[in-house]
Structure formats: C-alpha cells, structure tokens
Amino acid sequence: MTATARPIITSSIKIAGITNPTVLGYFETLNAGDFDAAANLFADDGVLHAPFEEPIIGSISIATYLKTEARGMKLEPQQGVSQILEDGNVEVPVSGRVQTSAFGINVAWLFLLNSDQKILSVTVKLLASPQELLNLRSHKKSEV
C-alpha cells in the first residue's frame, strides 16, 4: 500500500511578521473547525497550555480538548515575530483576538516549534484585566 501525499494548502490567514506554515496552519485549521488537523500539527508529546486548564499533552488529548472547548471560536491573529533559539527550536509569539458568541478578548499565543516544524508547545494567554478574567472564569464554570 502506498501513502498518498497530502496537498499543500495555502493559508488564508495573514499575520503581520509571520510566514511559518505550521503557525498559519494552526489558526487556519482551528478557524475551519478541523480540530484533528490542528492537533496533528503538534509533536507526539506536544503540549497545549490553555487558560484555566492543566497542560494538555499529546495530539489525541489536544484534539479531544479542542473539539470540546474551541467550537465556535474565531481566532484573529494580528501580528507576531519568529526567532530561532540556540537549541534550533523556533519561538513564535503572536498577538490577536479570539471571538466567541459570548465574548471577544485579546489573546497572546506563544508557539515553540522543533526543527521538524512540529509544535512542541502553544501557550495561550488571555490579555484582560483581572475583573475581565474573573468574569470569563465564572462564565466558563456556568457552562459546565
């Protein structure tokens, strides 16, 4: 049996200062609701650090989490930079906004990619006042 090559998809996401296809693909797949594809961008032991959550480790756990928590979210990354670290990994901080049906909030994402362009980690930070964060946390608890 032969493996078929996956077509290269050009991203419709544009982020000032970012051309990395993995980072662009992360936002593209999440906005398309393709949570399995988003999770497959992670390394086998990749970690998603989501707000108010323990670290989510591995693509299966990440996909499961995204299917539950990211439905209906629209990620609006705006700008970022890419920097190669001494160990050869790439660090990519991105700032932007996330919009849900209930609220919109400024967000920062910090990506760490390995030399194979797989995501080692994504840390998502909400950029809000303490009161806004308390309101979001209360809103999240009331949804459960």
Side-chain angles (χ1 to χ4, degrees), residues 67-118:
K67 288 172 186 175
T68 303
E69 298 295 332
R71 288 203 185 282
M73 287 189 179
K74 181 168 178 2
L75 285 62
E76 301 170 349
Q78 296 167 351
Q79 63 185 6
V81 294
S82 185
Q83 171 183 331
I84 298 174
L85 304 177
E86 288 181 18
D87 61 5
N89 291 332
V90 178
E91 184 179 76
V92 184
V94 176
S95 62
R97 200 164 165 74
V98 171
Q99 189 67 47
T100 72
S101 59
F103 63 88
I105 191 164
N106 292 326
V107 175
W109 295 269
L110 180 60
F111 292 83
L112 183 62
L113 308 173
N114 65 18
S115 58
D116 294 327
Q117 295 302 301
K118 289 294 222 171

Side-chain angles (χ1 to χ4, degrees), residues 15 19 22 42 46 59 65-66 77 88 112 127-128:
I15 307 171
T19 58
T22 301
F42 284 79
S59 60
Y65 172 81
L66 292 173
L112 183 62
L127 305 177

Side-chain angles (χ1 to χ4, degrees), residues 18-143:
I18 301 298
T19 58
N20 184 290
T22 301
V23 173
L24 295 172
Y26 175 84
F27 292 106
E28 184 79 24
T29 55
L30 281 176
N31 280 343
D34 192 346
F35 303 118
D36 289 322
N40 285 333
L41 295 170
F42 284 79
D44 290 340
D45 58 352
V47 181
L48 173 61
H49 298 276
F52 311 123
E53 303 290 341
E54 293 295 318
I56 301 135
I57 303 169
S59 60
I60 293 171
S61 296
I62 291 168
T64 300
Y65 172 81
L66 292 173
K67 288 172 186 175
T68 303
E69 298 295 332
R71 288 203 185 282
M73 287 189 179
K74 181 168 178 2
L75 285 62
E76 301 170 349
Q78 296 167 351
Q79 63 185 6
V81 294
S82 185
Q83 171 183 331
I84 298 174
L85 304 177
E86 288 181 18
D87 61 5
N89 291 332
V90 178
E91 184 179 76
V92 184
V94 176
S95 62
R97 200 164 165 74
V98 171
Q99 189 67 47
T100 72
S101 59
F103 63 88
I105 191 164
N106 292 326
V107 175
W109 295 269
L110 180 60
F111 292 83
L112 183 62
L113 308 173
N114 65 18
S115 58
D116 294 327
Q117 295 302 301
K118 289 294 222 171
I119 300 171
L120 295 173
S121 70
V122 175
T123 302
V124 183
K125 292 188 178 187
L126 304 179
L127 305 177
S129 71
Q131 186 59 48
E132 289 172 311
L133 291 175
L134 284 173
N135 291 343
L136 284 178
R137 191 174 183 116
S138 298
H139 176 75
K140 182 173 167 83
K141 285 183 179 178
S142 69
E143 290 179 341

